[in-house]
Amino acid sequence: MAKRAVKPSVRTRKRRRSHSLVGWLWAIAGCVLAISVWAAPSLQPMRASVENCPMEAQQEIRRLIAGNLEAGIGWNANLSELERSIAALPWVKSASARGHWSGRLTTTIEPRVPYLSVQNGSRYLSIDESRVAFLPPQARKNPRPMFDQSHRQLIVESKANIKEGQAIQGAATRFAFDFARALDQENFPFPYSLTIRKGGNMCLNIRAKAQDVGLTTRYEIGLPDKLSAKVEAVLKTLNGRPVSGGAVEYVNVSAPDKITVKMASQDRSERNE
């Protein structure tokens, strides 16, 4: 004789529905969590890329990124601090960091561009167009070649307070920078070096080529004053004459209204212009 099927009680049916509902809720929660892990950068493993950064500074930047992100809960919340920490490096002009939904972090660097190369005793630095001193990462191991190959050199004979990451100070140093800018505004064609002596007087050596040491024309600039008049005097005495030919050996423009010129063909005789 066949046994009669026993219908589940109302309590049993409610329990099954409850278990089914809990299962669906757990499934939905799992899906939400999976989507969050895929979409939220703060929950994903970091994949960082660095753009426009010199090869010599890649490790330095990546250490800053790793250290900055480990200090916070989510890297998306630390982007502003990361930008500030990178921009604080003397050779960096600006930095921006962007987080992507794919879990990728892109950091873009704008390095400072050398404008003047500076020698101060055994120290070699660069100055960019905003007057800030720095040492390019490429020149850390051996900065001397950077200076030798520069078309604009500044030699400071006395001990100068030139600090990395800061704008240059001192009347003579600022004057030398402005003098170089004024020459470039006139499309000055020759490499040159400016020397600030211990007393503050300045001279300008114009070279025929970047590597020339012997074929130079020396200009006595004098004290840091009368910028426009002295630049005009330098341009006037060149007057299209080739420096490489040594037509002019020495020019004194410290008093722009009375320029003294010594020609290479003259031994000790001088003439006034």
Side-chain angles (χ1 to χ4, degrees), residues 202-213:
M202 191 177 309
C203 72
L204 167 69
N205 290 306
I206 301 176
R207 295 166 286 161
K209 298 178 182 179
Q211 302 299 330
D212 265 345
V213 178

Side-chain angles (χ1 to χ4, degrees), residues 39-118:
S42 61
L43 298 177
Q44 294 189 40
M46 180 187 67
R47 297 194 301 275
S49 62
V50 182
E51 297 179 349
N52 201 32
C53 178
M55 185 183 301
E56 295 83 356
Q58 286 277 345
Q59 290 186 356
E60 178 183 24
I61 296 299
R62 291 188 179 278
R63 281 197 299 267
L64 276 177
I65 292 174
N68 188 276
L69 302 185
E70 288 175 0
I73 297 174
W75 60 265
N76 209 27
N78 290 312
L79 295 187
S80 296
E81 182 60 33
L82 175 61
E83 290 173 346
R84 284 193 292 270
S85 62
I86 295 176
L89 296 172
W91 61 270
V92 175
K93 185 175 182 180
S94 66
S96 63
R98 303 187 307 277
H100 305 270
W101 287 111
S102 60
R104 183 166 56 90
L105 171 65
T106 302
T107 304
T108 304
I109 309 293
E110 183 183 1
R112 296 189 184 277
V113 178
Y115 179 73
L116 271 177
S117 292
V118 184

Side-chain angles (χ1 to χ4, degrees), residues 11 39 46 52 93 153 165 172 186 193 209 214 245 248-249 251 264:
R11 182 178 298 176
M46 180 187 67
N52 201 32
K93 185 175 182 180
Q153 299 175 349
E186 299 294 334
S193 63
K209 298 178 182 179
V248 178
E249 181 179 327
V251 183

Side-chain angles (χ1 to χ4, degrees), residues 27-205:
I28 293 171
C31 290
V32 171
L33 180 62
I35 293 172
S36 299
V37 170
W38 174 81
S42 61
L43 298 177
Q44 294 189 40
M46 180 187 67
R47 297 194 301 275
S49 62
V50 182
E51 297 179 349
N52 201 32
C53 178
M55 185 183 301
E56 295 83 356
Q58 286 277 345
Q59 290 186 356
E60 178 183 24
I61 296 299
R62 291 188 179 278
R63 281 197 299 267
L64 276 177
I65 292 174
N68 188 276
L69 302 185
E70 288 175 0
I73 297 174
W75 60 265
N76 209 27
N78 290 312
L79 295 187
S80 296
E81 182 60 33
L82 175 61
E83 290 173 346
R84 284 193 292 270
S85 62
I86 295 176
L89 296 172
W91 61 270
V92 175
K93 185 175 182 180
S94 66
S96 63
R98 303 187 307 277
H100 305 270
W101 287 111
S102 60
R104 183 166 56 90
L105 171 65
T106 302
T107 304
T108 304
I109 309 293
E110 183 183 1
R112 296 189 184 277
V113 178
Y115 179 73
L116 271 177
S117 292
V118 184
Q119 178 186 4
N120 183 212
S122 60
R123 297 178 66 214
Y124 295 91
L125 293 171
S126 291
I127 299 175
D128 71 351
E129 289 195 347
S130 59
R131 302 179 182 227
V132 175
F134 69 102
L135 182 62
Q138 307 93 308
R140 285 175 180 168
K141 291 184 178 180
N142 186 12
R144 181 60 191 259
M146 170 198 71
F147 178 82
D148 291 340
Q149 296 168 13
S150 174
H151 281 224
R152 305 181 194 92
Q153 299 175 349
L154 174 61
I155 302 170
V156 184
E157 294 184 348
S158 60
K159 186 176 180 181
N161 189 25
I162 302 176
K163 296 181 179 179
E164 286 192 70
Q166 296 184 12
I168 55 175
Q169 304 293 324
T173 309
R174 293 196 302 269
F175 180 87
F177 180 90
D178 293 338
F179 199 98
R181 291 295 299 270
L183 287 177
D184 289 342
Q185 288 173 2
E186 299 294 334
N187 298 316
F188 196 72
F190 303 110
Y192 57 86
S193 63
L194 283 159
T195 300
I196 303 175
R197 301 192 185 98
K198 292 183 178 181
N201 286 312
M202 191 177 309
C203 72
L204 167 69
N205 290 306

